[in-house]
């Protein structure tokens, strides 16, 4: 079940270079198309453009409830709803969301920036990859970073490529405090965190990569999560912090949640790796675990 289009976050990536089997990398849309062809060949049924809004544990059966009306019952369920981007707090930014201000970036937006100055907020790998991707089209890419260095938050290969790029500039110890524009982004005000001085720069493009929170509100209180909302699975459920949450005498299976028969895979899971390879691996693992679970009931 998918509420938007297949592909998730990976589908938005212009170049995935660290997925096994693709030594030259591939785009997220290419990976999505290949995955869809494979999934269809295996006979999976896809329910698209359908938002799952609720979950109910009904004894041995679990139900996912759609927005409005409709539901699907199943004996087992894999939660793979990923994460949603965190919002950047700055005056005027929300009004320009989708009008020059974007959370995440796909290839179509990147090519629209041809010859322009582009600003990116973030210091993790997704921001670094976006900077490299946009530098192929933009006149100048400015990475706005709150910290004084990138090494602690970004892979070394990305840091090297960014710092050696003639097109990419990194503004350390800086943050965006205001966005202006009449119908579309026209300028940003950047504050220096040390001097508190500000500078207004002209630009039509801002891409934000400042982390994400899990999409788990629809699960209701039944499935245990940490304070940020990430789903707790497997042996972590037996930790003192979650004492009494696991209802059975047997131990939970590796990716099983606090509701027996409900599994979590990918970015939505507490302590997940936030990578395509690990999300795909956990998805495959969950299917195996579903079979093990079904053999117990
Ligand atoms: C721009 C970008 C570039 C990246 N580049 C790389 C890279 O090069 N290499 C790498 O390894 N990783 C990369 N990542 C990270 C990688 O994409 C993620 O780790 C991976 O996609 C996680 O997959 P997932 O299935 O757990 O979740 P997601 O990809 O977040 O997918 C979750 C899906 O669930 C759907 N959904 C959510 N809630 C509901 C609901 N209530 N009802 C119905 N559907 C719902 C969403 O629409 C979404 O399609 C990148 C991420 C981004 C954003």
């Amino acid at each position: 079940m998918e509420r938007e289009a297949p592909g998730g976050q990976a589908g938005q990536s212009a170049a995935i270079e660290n997925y096994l089997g693709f030594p030259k990398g591939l785009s997220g849309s290419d990976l999505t198309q290949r995955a869809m062809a494979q999934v269809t060949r295996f006979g999976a049924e896809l329910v698209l453009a359908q938002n799952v809004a609720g979950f109910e544990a009904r004894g041995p059966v679990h139900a996912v409830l759609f927005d409005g009306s409709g539901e699907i019952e199943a004996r087992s369920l894999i939660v793979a709803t990923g994460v949603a981007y965190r919002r950047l707090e700055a005056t005027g930014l929300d009004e320009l969301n989708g009008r020059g201000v974007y959370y995440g970036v796909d290839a179509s937006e990147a090519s629209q920036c041809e010859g322009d100055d582009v600003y990116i907020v973030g210091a993790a790998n997704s921001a670094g990859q976006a900077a490299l991707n946009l530098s192929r089209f933009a006149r100048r890419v400015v990475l706005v970073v709150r910290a004084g260095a990138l090494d602690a938050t970004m892979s070394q290969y990305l840091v090297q490529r960014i710092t050696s790029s003639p097109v990419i500039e990194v503004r350390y110890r800086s943050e965006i405090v205001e966005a202006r524009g009449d119908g579309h982004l026209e300028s940003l005000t950047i504050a220096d965190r040390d001097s508190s001085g500000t500078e207004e720069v002209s630009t039509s493009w801002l891409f934000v990569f400042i982390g994400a929170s899990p999409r788990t509100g629809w699960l209701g209180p039944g499935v245990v999560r940490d304070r940020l909302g990430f789903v707790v699975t497997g042996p972590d459920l037996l930790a003192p912090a979650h004492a009494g949450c696991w209802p059975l005498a047997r131990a939970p299976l590796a990716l099983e949640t606090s509701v027996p028969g409900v599994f979590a895979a990918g970015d939505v899971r507490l302590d997940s790796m936030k990578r395509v390879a690990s999300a795909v691996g956990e998805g495959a693992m969950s299917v195996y675990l579903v079979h093990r679970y079904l053999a117990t009931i």
Side-chain angles (χ1 to χ4, degrees), residues 204-217:
S204 305
W205 305 100
L206 173 68
F207 296 101
V208 184
F209 296 88
I210 54 166
S213 40
R215 298 193 192 97
T216 50

Side-chain angles (χ1 to χ4, degrees), residues 6 29-44 46:
S29 60
D30 189 3
L31 183 61
T32 303
Q33 276 172 20
R34 288 164 183 261
M36 292 299 285
Q38 200 167 6
V39 156
T40 310
R41 186 166 65 84
F42 277 120
L46 299 160

